[in-house]
Amino acid sequence: MTLLHLFDLDGTLMHGSAAPVEISRQLGLDAEIAELERAFSAREIGPPEFAVGLHALWSGLSSAQVRSAFDGAPWLTGIREVWQEIRDRGDYCAVISLSPSFFVEMLLEWGVHAAHGSLFPEVPFTRPVDVTGILTPEGKVVVADRLCERFGVTRADCVAYGDSMTDAALFAAVPVSVAVNARPHIAALATHVYEGRDLREAYRLVGDSRPSVEAS
């Protein structure tokens, strides 16, 4: 059986932080992004409004700052090792995130088969954000279905990893899910629950008869 492992980014692959937070820190906008994140978490705004807010905050953003945010982010240990093992087994892995695609797609450098984020204009911004390209929690399932078709699997062959209610729709759509450093409401929906900073340990919870990555 071939598996497709679907990873969230913010709060899942990144411990205690999110791409918008790390990018905003490069611009000295800690307070501003904290308020935007609060409004989103409280459901006062949705993904399109959040994206428009980010675009306004990041008017001076450069590609170099995006790279610094990526390189300095608090990533979990073992991401590349997990993805390499998935490849070695003949399985597939992908990242599906509401965060900007220009950040999410940098994870292709680490060996993930596919990386999908919300579509933002190129950095530095010269165009407004098109909200029709902004992913929603339900949109994650649509992307997952497209990936299933691409890789020749079905939802029954998928494993989802996430941490918040933006992952709830995807957790409901697949048979196996792993809550990674998750909020209680998403942990209650998951097949497995992991707390820690090593993705290899979360990946091992899925389990099967094949050998798994050894944590150092």
Side-chain angles (χ1 to χ4, degrees):
M1 180 180 66
T2 300
L3 298 179
L4 171 57
H5 296 262
L6 301 166
F7 296 90
D8 173 52
L9 190 159
D10 301 320
T12 302
L13 296 177
M14 192 183 291
H15 186 268
S17 191
V21 173
E22 297 301 315
I23 294 169
S24 297
R25 283 175 178 162
Q26 296 294 316
L27 296 166
L29 298 171
D30 300 60
E32 290 84 350
I33 188 60
E35 173 56 24
L36 202 59
E37 289 272 352
R38 183 207 62 76
F40 182 71
S41 295
R43 301 187 182 182
E44 295 172 7
I45 59 174
E49 295 81 9
F50 185 74
V52 170
L54 290 179
H55 185 273
L57 281 184
W58 296 345
S59 60
L61 184 64
S62 69
S63 296
Q65 289 169 319
V66 175
R67 170 55 67 178
S68 293
F70 183 89
D71 291 343
W75 300 105
L76 264 61
T77 302
I79 294 173
R80 280 172 276 200
E81 290 87 345
V82 167
W83 291 347
Q84 184 59 54
E85 178 166 323
I86 288 171
R87 283 180 169 272
D88 290 346
R89 289 180 168 187
D91 293 335
Y92 299 100
C93 51
V95 176
I96 308 175
S97 172
L98 272 60
S99 279
S101 54
F102 61 75
F103 189 96
V104 179
E105 290 170 4
M106 295 174 80
L107 287 167
L108 292 168
E109 301 169 9
W110 291 4
V112 72
H113 286 97
H116 290 265
S118 292
L119 296 178
F120 274 66
E122 299 81 7
V123 175
F125 297 148
T126 58
R127 296 181 288 112
V129 64
D130 181 354
V131 296
T132 64
I134 302 305
L135 274 184
T136 64
E138 296 73 23
K140 284 190 169 188
V141 180
V142 175
V143 173
D145 285 340
R146 290 174 184 161
L147 290 170
C148 285
E149 183 176 358
R150 172 180 168 184
F151 296 124
V153 300
T154 69
R155 288 187 187 182
D157 306 311
C158 292
V159 180
Y161 303 74
D163 75 300
S164 72
M165 285 306 291
T166 61
D167 302 304
L170 189 56
F171 274 29
V174 304
V176 179
S177 54
V178 183
V180 180
N181 298 316
R183 294 166 178 81
H185 44 263
I186 196 69
L189 302 176
T191 311
H192 306 285
V193 177
Y194 174 71
E195 295 285 338
R197 301 193 69 160
D198 193 328
L199 188 64
R200 292 167 292 189
E201 296 173 353
Y203 172 66
R204 193 176 294 124
L205 293 176
V206 175
D208 57 30
S209 60
R210 296 171 291 185
S212 58
V213 176
E214 291 296 328
S216 57

